[in-house]
């Protein structure tokens, strides 16, 4: 199951993507926002990233105005690999090379049709493994050690 959420800046694109997920028969939960009033993207990014981090969802889609705030929030969560993508190519690469489990889009950047193309590319792609797995393993190791090792 996927989880999708946005702030007000991503609401319109979120609704368009939900239509696509319905058509494609992808199971998903929408965790808001549901109205056009201004909300804070960390509140919605947290919900999706936490569910993915805890293994309660296979993946997530997050949308704010630019996608930047949501990607900053989501990547704070262990095991979350959130990718802010801009076209079909980066959406496909996000899965093939980075095994991104959260796709991030910008509602004020991407038209609905582009957003759908990017979600489709991400869902259709497969992680390539091999040397890319080695790199993800290094990221996972950094998550465990970066603070304790006094590197920062
Ligand atoms: C909200 O105005 C806007 O700052 C937010 O949607 C997002 O673009 C933040 O990164």
């Amino acid at each position: 199951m996927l989880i999708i959420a946005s702030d007000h800046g991503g609401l319109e694109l979120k609704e368009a993507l939900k239509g696509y997920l319905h058509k494609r028969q992808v199971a998903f939960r929408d965790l808001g926002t549901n109205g056009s009033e201004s909300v804070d993207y960390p509140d919605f990014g947290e919900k999706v990233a936490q569910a993915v981090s805890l293994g309660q969802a296979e993946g997530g889609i997050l949308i704010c105005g630019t996608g930047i705030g949501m990607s900053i929030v989501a990547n704070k969560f262990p095991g979350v690999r959130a990718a802010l993508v801009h076209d079909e190519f980066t959406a496909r690469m996000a899965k093939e090379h980075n095994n991104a489990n959260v796709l991030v889009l910008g509602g004020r950047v991407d038209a609905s049709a582009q957003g759908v193309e990017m979600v489709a590319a991400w869902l259709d792609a497969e992680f390539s493994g091999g040397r890319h797995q080695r790199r993800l393993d290094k990221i996972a190791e950094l998550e465990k050690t970066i603070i304790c090792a006094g590197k920062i």
Side-chain angles (χ1 to χ4, degrees):
M1 198 216 6
L2 293 181
I3 308 205
I4 187 167
S6 74
D7 71 356
H8 53 289
L11 177 64
E12 201 181 317
L13 181 54
K14 173 164 70 71
E15 294 311 306
L17 297 180
K18 280 165 60 183
Y20 173 70
L21 294 174
H22 268 305
K23 249 196 249 166
R24 198 179 154 136
Q25 298 186 318
V26 173
F28 70 91
R29 278 186 65 200
D30 176 6
L31 298 185
T33 189
N34 296 311
S36 56
E37 67 279 4
S38 180
V39 292
D40 296 335
Y41 61 82
D43 299 336
F44 294 88
E46 176 191 0
K47 291 183 197 189
V48 169
Q50 182 168 288
V52 172
S53 185
L54 293 174
Q56 294 167 346
E58 287 158 41
I61 300 174
L62 282 169
I63 313 138
C64 60
T66 57
I68 296 170
M70 286 296 199
S71 54
I72 291 172
V73 172
N75 279 312
K76 301 284 181 205
F77 287 73
V80 170
R81 294 176 299 278
L84 172 56
V85 299
H86 294 294
D87 49 33
E88 260 185 279
F89 175 71
T90 51
R92 182 162 58 80
M93 284 297 113
K95 180 69 78 56
E96 289 185 2
H97 285 194
N98 312 106
N99 203 14
N101 46 17
V102 175
L103 192 75
V104 189
L105 302 174
R108 294 173 182 155
V109 181
D110 309 312
S112 297
Q114 288 173 294
V116 165
E117 278 175 12
M118 289 186 269
V119 169
W122 177 63
L123 289 175
D124 289 339
E126 282 187 23
F127 178 50
S128 306
R131 66 186 187 281
H132 302 293
Q133 184 59 57
R134 183 180 71 239
R135 292 158 188 168
L136 297 191
D137 290 345
K138 289 188 176 185
I139 295 173
E141 200 52 37
L142 281 174
E143 274 179 350
K144 285 193 258 162
T145 60
I146 196 159
I147 293 169
C148 332
K151 288 186 187 172
I152 54 169

